[in-house]
Amino acid sequence: MDVSIIIVNYNTEKLVIDCINSIINKTTNINYEIIVVDNNSDNGSFNKIIDTFPISSYINTNCLDIKFIRNEQNIGFGLANNEGFKQAKGEYLFCLNPDTIIVNNAIKILYDFMENNTECGACGGNLYDLNMKYVHSFGYGDDIKSLLLRKSFLKFFFLREYIKIKKYEKNIDRTKLQEVNHLTGADLMLRSNIIKNEIGGFSKNFFMYFEETELEIRLKRAGYKIFFVPDAKIIHLEGKSKNNNKKKFYKESYIEYYRLCYGEAWAKIAKLLTSKK
């Protein structure tokens, strides 16, 4: 098995069905499996997904299997992916958001890049909206400086770095293969042996948000690089998979990220700089 594609579902059956269809229609020249992990959906969506993809629906494709896992409760994005990792047989693990649509042979492109670049621990592709306009795919810059630059009064002390980041963001070249600070978790390809034998999966400290960033920090500290691969094209329907507690989860995970990666003192600073006036 070349790639195990893990998709987490929570009441998003239409998105998941469209995502799987795009995978089957666009992915060639590699053998892969799809693992759908359901976070205890309460709208019958999990059974609808199962019923949509009997073996006959993909038997003549490069998809070797579609597996279905149902969690007894909603355990969040990262831990649900971890459940998929346990059953994955692929040489590579590909975490894919349910609100994505594969545009070209993106999974094969990412697979080929990993095969040819052994120093790469994770890679991801170019993300677009429905109009094929760029959306957020990766992050640039030092995490500590990015934290301090959140507040305007601190920009004065790090003016050179602030100007450098803004200049890069304005002139960012989304056609260029490049090493990046971190990739979004919407499409994240990882080496299975590194996850299972070296650094482990996603941290249990996150329900959603920043779990992929924290994992990628561990990858880099283990000596691996993270790359943005622009030729792999994927539509990301941002906001379609909704959560009413988005702001709460985001802030809690942001602070926890700094605690795990940089220590308690930086977590306190993150909490201070993200608190409401």
Side-chain angles (χ1 to χ4, degrees):
M1 189 77 68
D2 296 318
V3 180
S4 296
I5 304 165
I6 297 96
I7 304 170
V8 177
N9 173 64
Y10 180 70
N11 294 338
T12 54
E13 75 277 1
K14 186 180 186 308
L15 293 174
V16 173
I17 290 168
D18 289 345
C19 178
I20 292 175
N21 279 327
S22 74
I23 294 169
I24 293 173
N25 290 334
K26 297 293 183 178
T27 307
T28 60
N29 299 319
I30 55 170
N31 292 322
Y32 64 92
E33 64 180 350
I34 298 172
I35 303 174
V36 179
V37 184
D38 185 78
N39 261 336
N40 196 28
S41 296
D42 55 14
N43 67 348
S45 66
F46 189 50
N47 288 333
K48 292 176 184 176
I49 296 168
I50 293 173
D51 292 342
T52 303
F53 295 102
I55 293 176
S56 59
S57 67
Y58 59 87
I59 195 168
N60 294 319
T61 71
N62 288 90
C63 180
L64 301 186
D65 194 13
I66 300 182
K67 300 175 181 176
F68 301 96
I69 301 170
R70 183 175 176 86
N71 295 322
E72 295 182 357
Q73 60 184 351
N74 187 349
I75 59 176
F77 176 79
L79 293 185
N81 272 288
N82 285 351
E83 292 302 309
F85 293 169
K86 292 176 184 178
Q87 293 198 27
K89 297 180 179 178
E91 184 179 357
Y92 298 96
L93 307 169
F94 188 46
C95 303
L96 189 63
N97 269 22
D99 56 348
T100 57
I101 299 171
I102 303 298
V103 176
N104 60 358
N105 201 5
I107 300 171
K108 174 66 161 56
I109 291 169
L110 296 175
Y111 167 83
D112 286 343
F113 182 81
M114 296 287 272
E115 285 283 278
N116 294 321
N117 296 272
T118 56
E119 79 281 11
C120 177
C123 68
N126 238 331
L127 297 178
Y128 302 84
D129 65 14
L130 277 173
N131 298 313
M132 293 305 292
K133 293 183 179 179
Y134 295 131
V135 296
H136 176 64
S137 299
F138 61 87
Y140 166 81
D142 178 83
D143 290 322
I144 294 297
K145 290 176 181 175
S146 297
L147 169 65
L148 295 175
L149 290 171
R150 287 181 65 95
K151 293 294 184 180
S152 59
F153 70 88
L154 287 171
K155 292 181 176 65
F156 175 79
F157 298 98
F158 301 95
L159 189 58
R160 179 178 294 181
E161 184 69 18
Y162 177 71
I163 293 173
K164 180 181 177 181
I165 290 174
K166 287 300 178 183
K167 183 178 179 181
Y168 177 84
E169 290 175 346
K170 183 179 179 180
N171 301 298
I172 190 169
D173 187 354
R174 292 284 295 267
T175 66
K176 179 183 177 183
L177 172 70
Q178 54 197 291
E179 185 178 353
V180 296
N181 183 47
H182 65 270
L183 298 158
T184 176
D187 68 314
L188 184 64
M189 185 168 286
L190 305 159
R191 293 185 187 275
S192 181
N193 67 304
I194 295 175
I195 297 300
K196 294 182 177 181
N197 301 322
E198 292 188 43
I199 70 167
F202 291 103
S203 170
K204 65 181 181 179
N205 294 54
F206 301 93
F207 183 80
M208 61 188 299
Y209 301 117
F210 291 96
E211 60 277 281
E212 77 274 24
T213 318
E214 187 273 336
L215 183 145
E216 291 171 63
I217 284 284
R218 282 186 275 133
L219 270 176
K220 291 192 292 184
R221 290 176 177 174
Y224 298 99
K225 297 180 179 180
I226 298 167
F227 284 92
F228 167 69
V229 184
D231 291 341
K233 298 180 180 182
I234 299 170
I235 289 173
H236 185 202
L237 305 171
E238 294 179 304
K240 294 296 183 180
S241 182
K242 296 181 179 179
N243 189 293
N244 293 330
N245 295 314
K246 177 179 178 179
K247 290 183 178 179
K248 174 180 178 292
F249 287 134
Y250 187 92
K251 182 177 179 180
E252 290 176 351
S253 294
Y254 186 77
I255 295 168
E256 185 61 22
Y257 166 73
Y258 278 95
R259 176 177 290 110
L260 287 178
C261 295
Y262 301 103
E264 190 65 36
W266 283 107
K268 291 180 179 178
I269 293 173
K271 184 176 182 179
L272 176 65
L273 295 182
T274 55
S275 63
K276 291 184 178 179
K277 293 182 179 180

